[in-house]
Coordinates of all heavy atoms in Angstrom, one line a residue:
D84 N 218.6 72.3 188.7 CA 218.6 70.9 189.1 C 217.2 70.4 189.4 O 216.9 69.3 189.4 CB 219.4 70.7 190.4 CG 220.9 71.0 190.1 OD1 221.5 70.1 189.4 OD2 221.5 72.1 190.5
L85 N 216.4 71.4 189.8 CA 215.0 71.1 190.2 C 214.1 72.3 189.7 O 214.5 73.5 190.0 CB 214.8 70.9 191.7 CG 213.4 70.5 192.3 CD1 213.7 69.6 193.6 CD2 212.5 71.6 192.5
I86 N 213.0 72.0 189.1 CA 212.1 73.1 188.8 C 210.8 72.8 189.5 O 210.2 71.7 189.4 CB 211.8 73.2 187.3 CG1 213.1 73.5 186.6 CG2 210.7 74.2 186.9 CD1 212.9 73.6 185.0
C87 N 210.3 73.8 190.3 CA 209.2 73.7 191.0 C 208.1 74.6 190.5 O 208.4 75.7 190.4 CB 209.5 74.0 192.5 SG 208.1 73.7 193.6
V88 N 206.9 74.0 190.1 CA 205.9 74.9 189.6 C 204.7 74.9 190.5 O 204.5 74.0 191.2 CB 205.4 74.3 188.2 CG1 206.6 74.4 187.2 CG2 204.9 72.9 188.3
H89 N 203.9 76.0 190.4 CA 202.7 76.1 191.2 C 201.6 75.3 190.6 O 201.3 75.5 189.4 CB 202.3 77.6 191.4 CG 203.0 78.1 192.6 ND1 202.5 78.3 193.8 CD2 204.3 78.7 192.8 CE1 203.3 78.8 194.7 NE2 204.4 79.0 194.1
A90 N 200.9 74.6 191.5 CA 199.7 73.9 191.0 C 198.6 74.8 190.5 O 197.9 74.4 189.5 CB 199.1 73.0 192.1
E91 N 198.6 76.0 191.0 CA 197.6 77.0 190.7 C 197.9 77.6 189.2 O 197.0 78.3 188.7 CB 197.6 78.1 191.6 CG 197.3 77.7 193.2 CD 198.6 77.3 193.9 OE1 199.7 77.4 193.3 OE2 198.5 76.9 195.1
A92 N 199.1 77.4 188.8 CA 199.5 78.1 187.6 C 199.4 77.4 186.2 O 199.7 77.9 185.2 CB 201.0 78.6 187.7
T93 N 198.9 76.1 186.4 CA 198.7 75.3 185.1 C 197.5 74.4 185.2 O 197.1 74.0 186.2 CB 200.0 74.5 184.9 OG1 199.9 73.7 183.8 CG2 200.3 73.5 186.1
H94 N 197.0 74.1 184.0 CA 195.9 73.2 183.8 C 196.4 71.8 183.8 O 195.6 70.9 183.8 CB 195.0 73.6 182.7 CG 194.3 74.9 182.7 ND1 193.5 75.2 183.8 CD2 194.5 76.0 182.0 CE1 193.0 76.5 183.5 NE2 193.7 77.0 182.5
H95 N 197.6 71.6 183.3 CA 198.1 70.3 183.0 C 199.3 69.9 183.8 O 200.5 69.8 183.2 CB 198.4 70.2 181.5 CG 197.1 70.5 180.7 ND1 196.0 69.6 180.6 CD2 196.7 71.5 180.0 CE1 195.0 70.0 179.9 NE2 195.5 71.3 179.4
L96 N 199.2 69.7 185.0 CA 200.3 69.5 185.9 C 201.0 68.2 185.6 O 202.2 68.1 185.6 CB 199.7 69.4 187.4 CG 200.7 69.6 188.5 CD1 201.7 70.8 188.3 CD2 199.9 69.7 189.8
H97 N 200.3 67.1 185.3 CA 200.9 65.9 185.0 C 201.9 66.0 183.7 O 203.0 65.6 183.8 CB 199.8 64.8 184.8 CG 200.4 63.5 184.5 ND1 200.8 63.0 183.2 CD2 200.7 62.4 185.4 CE1 201.2 61.7 183.4 NE2 201.2 61.4 184.6
R98 N 201.3 66.7 182.8 CA 202.1 66.9 181.5 C 203.4 67.7 181.8 O 204.5 67.4 181.3 CB 201.3 67.5 180.5 CG 202.0 67.8 179.1 CD 201.3 68.6 178.2 NE 200.1 67.8 177.6 CZ 198.9 68.4 177.2 NH1 198.8 69.7 177.3 NH2 198.0 67.7 176.8
L99 N 203.2 68.7 182.7 CA 204.3 69.6 183.0 C 205.4 68.9 183.7 O 206.6 69.1 183.4 CB 203.8 70.8 183.8 CG 204.6 71.9 184.2 CD1 205.4 72.4 183.1 CD2 203.9 73.0 184.8
L100 N 205.0 68.1 184.7 CA 206.0 67.3 185.4 C 206.8 66.3 184.4 O 207.9 66.1 184.6 CB 205.5 66.5 186.5 CG 204.8 67.3 187.7 CD1 204.5 66.5 188.9 CD2 205.5 68.5 188.0
Q101 N 206.0 65.8 183.6 CA 206.7 64.9 182.6 C 207.7 65.7 181.7 O 208.8 65.1 181.5 CB 205.6 64.3 181.6 CG 204.9 63.0 182.0 CD 204.0 62.5 181.0 OE1 203.3 63.2 180.3 NE2 203.8 61.2 181.0
S102 N 207.4 66.8 181.4 CA 208.2 67.6 180.5 C 209.5 68.0 181.3 O 210.7 68.1 180.7 CB 207.5 68.8 179.9 OG 207.9 70.1 180.3
I103 N 209.3 68.3 182.6 CA 210.5 68.7 183.4 C 211.4 67.4 183.6 O 212.6 67.5 183.3 CB 210.1 69.2 184.8 CG1 209.3 70.5 184.7 CG2 211.2 69.4 185.7 CD1 208.6 70.9 186.0
H104 N 210.8 66.3 183.9 CA 211.6 65.1 183.9 C 212.3 64.7 182.7 O 213.3 64.1 182.7 CB 210.6 63.9 184.5 CG 210.4 64.0 185.9 ND1 209.1 63.6 186.4 CD2 211.2 64.3 186.9 CE1 209.2 63.6 187.8 NE2 210.4 64.1 188.0
S105 N 211.7 65.0 181.5 CA 212.3 64.6 180.2 C 213.6 65.4 180.0 O 214.4 65.1 179.2 CB 211.4 65.0 179.1 OG 211.3 66.4 178.8
K106 N 213.8 66.4 180.9 CA 215.0 67.2 180.7 C 216.2 66.6 181.7 O 217.2 67.1 181.8 CB 214.9 68.7 181.2 CG 213.8 69.4 180.4 CD 214.4 69.7 179.1 CE 213.2 70.2 178.1 NZ 213.7 70.4 176.7
G107 N 215.8 65.5 182.4 CA 216.8 64.8 183.3 C 216.9 65.5 184.6 O 217.9 65.4 185.3
I108 N 216.0 66.4 185.0 CA 216.0 67.0 186.2 C 214.8 66.8 187.1 O 213.9 66.1 186.7 CB 216.2 68.6 186.1 CG1 215.1 69.2 185.3 CG2 217.5 68.8 185.4 CD1 215.1 70.7 185.2
Q109 N 214.8 67.2 188.3 CA 213.7 66.9 189.3 C 212.6 67.9 189.2 O 212.8 69.0 188.7 CB 214.2 67.0 190.7 CG 215.3 65.8 191.0 CD 215.6 65.8 192.5 OE1 214.8 65.9 193.3 NE2 216.9 65.6 192.7
A110 N 211.4 67.4 189.5 CA 210.2 68.2 189.4 C 209.5 68.3 190.7 O 209.2 67.3 191.4 CB 209.3 67.7 188.4
G111 N 209.1 69.6 191.1 CA 208.4 69.9 192.3 C 207.1 70.6 192.0 O 207.0 71.2 190.9
V112 N 206.2 70.5 192.9 CA 204.8 71.2 192.9 C 204.7 72.0 194.0 O 204.8 71.4 195.2 CB 203.7 70.2 192.7 CG1 202.4 71.0 192.7 CG2 203.8 69.3 191.5

Side-chain angles (χ1 to χ4, degrees):
D84 294 289
L85 185 153
I86 295 179
C87 186
V88 296
H89 270 262
E91 305 87 358
T93 179
H94 295 300
H95 300 288
L96 198 47
H97 183 272
R98 180 188 290 151
L99 184 51
L100 296 192
Q101 273 184 327
S102 112
I103 297 170
H104 281 144
S105 77
K106 303 288 170 189
I108 60 176
Q109 295 185 43
V112 178

